[in-house]
Amino acid sequence: MSYPYQIKSLEQYHEVYKQSIENPEKFWGEIASHFLWRKPFDNVLDWNFSAPHIEWFKGGQLNITENCLDRWAETQPDTPAIIWESNDINEPHRSISYKELLVKVNQFCHVLKNNGAKKGDRICLYMPMVPELAIAVLACARIGAIHSVVFGGFSAQSIADRINDAQCTLVITADGGYRGAKEIPLKSVIDDALVQCTSVQKVIVLTRTQTPVSMIKGRDCWWEDEINNVENAGNPFVEAEVMEAEDPLFILYTSGSTGKPKGVVHTCAGYMIYTNYTFINVFQYQPGDIHFCTADIGWITGHSYIIYGPLSAGATTLMFEGIPTWPDAGRFWDIIDKFKVNILYTAPTAIRSLMSFGTDVIKRKDLRSLKVLGSVGEPINEEAWHWFHEHIGKGKCPIVDTWWQTETGGILISNLAGITPQKPSYATLPLPGVQPLLVDENGVPILGGDASLQDLPSETVSGNLCIRHPWPGILRTTYGDHERCRLTYFSTYPNLYFTGDGCLRDKEGNYRITGRVDDVLNVSGHRIGTAEVENAINMHTGVVESAVVGYPHDIKGQGIYAFIIFNGVLDDDKLIAQDINQTVSRVIGAIAKPDKIQIVSGLPKTRSGKIMRRILRKIAEGDTDNLGDISTLLDPAVVEEIKTGRI
Ligand code: PRX
């Protein structure tokens, strides 16, 4: 097997890119013809960004799981689809072939149907990184239910908010999950969440940790019992539901600069084609390669490059339950040697954390199976890039620095491994079909920041990164609130999708993402809104007001710095900080806990009451001598106090 649309040379990239911009419909229509359709599409694209209204492959009918499973179960039944490595080094790994995966997904489709699930229902998944999570995701897609996977680190409150927003009727979880030395009581968290959720009728619970759990009569059932019932009933095959191209496939919640996280909606055909195209081209996947994406399926990277991208390409995807540093910092490298991994796709925060353990850990590892390395989630600093290149790639593996977002569905800007040039800390060139545009604050295009690659500037330019034409993987709406989608992404600059990222472009046309320009933090590659953290902190009884900013953090990329006005008994700052952390963990999850908490008597505010975050950011960064003009503040003296108390 070979991939007819895999780009093989730099010249071909330029040629394909040009075609994709000159005639996007012809370009994507041709790629779409390589997939399994129940009914061919009538129209490749219908769009306007002002509504926004985006429809790809209208009139087409398909089921994504027939493209991810059935076609490979027929042509390459014994190829491993999923290889799974346990958190526990002593537990045997699992290898599930395409044929077996199809059977398991079909069985679970029956379970879902037996529990009342049907096309269009929203189903929440809160599970550990075990193959059953992928099986459940695919089974939802096969029956046409919309999956909403919630990362296992989120709190009961966060889950309840997400379940209520989507009005999920069913929850799939496990008794618990393992992460390194920790055990996470998933079912118990779900029980706490469901106190607030009236829409949920059934909960299916997988056994993983054998932790005692309370099972509610009529609502809760065990995964294994349900599968047994299906096995006893005979033929497990389930005809896949016929879906319209634009039917929703999933919802994934992500943080923004205001309010609660929003449910980004992706649809069946466009998302499938885009994740497949980008997987095959960015990583230059060759049949037989083992692809190891270290993300959790609770994030978009896991959806697109553990499940849908690789499986739609008939690839072998490796899923790892644990964490890179347990039982020791050699775990990733051991997995690579054990399975002869060819592609490693991970995050800068993991690389920096592993770097801190030194190179002795790596000396005893082979790592020669690796062909391609990938980075995602945040800017990769040059030091981490070179370490990754030299010590893991042994100087011979290209590194793809892939820039994209939950909203983009798949990678938009990246070099193609070994095909287009890499440049440390640059995501480099746009993928075919992607038309980036840098604009200034007023939306005026910046000379040369134009995707046509004409009028190249003689020097590097910088601006806000926008995209000016849809690609098939673009979000279609935010669940239940289309206006919020329009306001967040399509209203800042007319007729452009605004990414929220700042960006440089060099004179060769390479893009370098510099970070968010809105109030969104990127902590260990996870997106967290400052407003969300502030809301959580403010729920603590003693807190009068708070302001949260990011600051550079050696491992996490960005750390969370909270300035808090506290009204309770102020005898021990450490205890207060612990209480605040506990509150944030309860409201959002441990990932949003501030790294630094400074108790202050006031916050720098303008006369109209607006907090001057710019000043707090500078103080948090340690740049206390360049605070700029503070004369417009209501109480300039407070700045001195905050500077002195800086942690
Ligand atoms: O700021 C960019 C950063 O991560 C944001 C998207 O976060 P999320 O939706 O959680 O998706 C992460 C995984 C795709 C972006 O707005 N980001 C992502 N990839 C990169 C990046 N920043 C720099 N370089 C990247 N390669």
PDB file of all heavy atoms in Angstrom, residues 39 103 119 382 607:
ATOM      1  N   LYS A  39     -22.344   7.567   0.043  1.00  0.00           N
ATOM      2  CA  LYS A  39     -22.912   8.338  -1.073  1.00  0.00           C
ATOM      3  C   LYS A  39     -21.917   9.463  -1.371  1.00  0.00           C
ATOM      4  O   LYS A  39     -21.460  10.143  -0.438  1.00  0.00           O
ATOM      5  CB  LYS A  39     -24.264   8.916  -0.638  1.00  0.00           C
ATOM      6  CG  LYS A  39     -24.914   9.812  -1.664  1.00  0.00           C
ATOM      7  CD  LYS A  39     -26.325  10.227  -1.183  1.00  0.00           C
ATOM      8  CE  LYS A  39     -26.898  11.360  -1.997  1.00  0.00           C
ATOM      9  NZ  LYS A  39     -26.291  12.659  -1.709  1.00  0.00           N
ATOM     10  N   VAL A 103     -14.090  -5.991  15.698  1.00  0.00           N
ATOM     11  CA  VAL A 103     -14.999  -6.815  16.507  1.00  0.00           C
ATOM     12  C   VAL A 103     -15.290  -6.127  17.842  1.00  0.00           C
ATOM     13  O   VAL A 103     -16.444  -6.010  18.277  1.00  0.00           O
ATOM     14  CB  VAL A 103     -14.398  -8.226  16.733  1.00  0.00           C
ATOM     15  CG1 VAL A 103     -15.224  -9.006  17.754  1.00  0.00           C
ATOM     16  CG2 VAL A 103     -14.290  -8.988  15.422  1.00  0.00           C
ATOM     17  N   LYS A 119     -28.046   7.711  17.475  1.00  0.00           N
ATOM     18  CA  LYS A 119     -27.449   8.787  16.688  1.00  0.00           C
ATOM     19  C   LYS A 119     -27.801  10.165  17.253  1.00  0.00           C
ATOM     20  O   LYS A 119     -28.956  10.411  17.596  1.00  0.00           O
ATOM     21  CB  LYS A 119     -27.953   8.685  15.236  1.00  0.00           C
ATOM     22  CG  LYS A 119     -27.400   9.761  14.340  1.00  0.00           C
ATOM     23  CD  LYS A 119     -27.813   9.582  12.893  1.00  0.00           C
ATOM     24  CE  LYS A 119     -27.295  10.763  12.089  1.00  0.00           C
ATOM     25  NZ  LYS A 119     -27.634  10.680  10.687  1.00  0.00           N
ATOM     26  N   GLU A 382      14.946  26.572  21.578  1.00  0.00           N
ATOM     27  CA  GLU A 382      16.052  26.000  20.787  1.00  0.00           C
ATOM     28  C   GLU A 382      16.835  24.948  21.570  1.00  0.00           C
ATOM     29  O   GLU A 382      17.256  23.938  21.021  1.00  0.00           O
ATOM     30  CB  GLU A 382      16.993  27.104  20.321  1.00  0.00           C
ATOM     31  CG  GLU A 382      16.319  27.967  19.276  1.00  0.00           C
ATOM     32  CD  GLU A 382      17.297  28.576  18.290  1.00  0.00           C
ATOM     33  OE1 GLU A 382      18.388  28.010  18.077  1.00  0.00           O
ATOM     34  OE2 GLU A 382      16.940  29.633  17.737  1.00  0.00           O
ATOM     35  N   ARG A 607      -8.250  54.033  36.988  1.00  0.00           N
ATOM     36  CA  ARG A 607      -9.321  54.742  37.719  1.00  0.00           C
ATOM     37  C   ARG A 607     -10.688  54.154  37.393  1.00  0.00           C
ATOM     38  O   ARG A 607     -11.618  54.261  38.163  1.00  0.00           O
ATOM     39  CB  ARG A 607      -9.263  56.227  37.408  1.00  0.00           C
ATOM     40  CG  ARG A 607      -8.015  56.823  38.023  1.00  0.00           C
ATOM     41  CD  ARG A 607      -8.051  58.332  38.153  1.00  0.00           C
ATOM     42  NE  ARG A 607      -6.818  58.721  38.833  1.00  0.00           N
ATOM     43  CZ  ARG A 607      -5.695  58.974  38.196  1.00  0.00           C
ATOM     44  NH1 ARG A 607      -5.640  58.936  36.890  1.00  0.00           N
ATOM     45  NH2 ARG A 607      -4.598  59.281  38.873  1.00  0.00           N
TER      46      ARG A 607
END
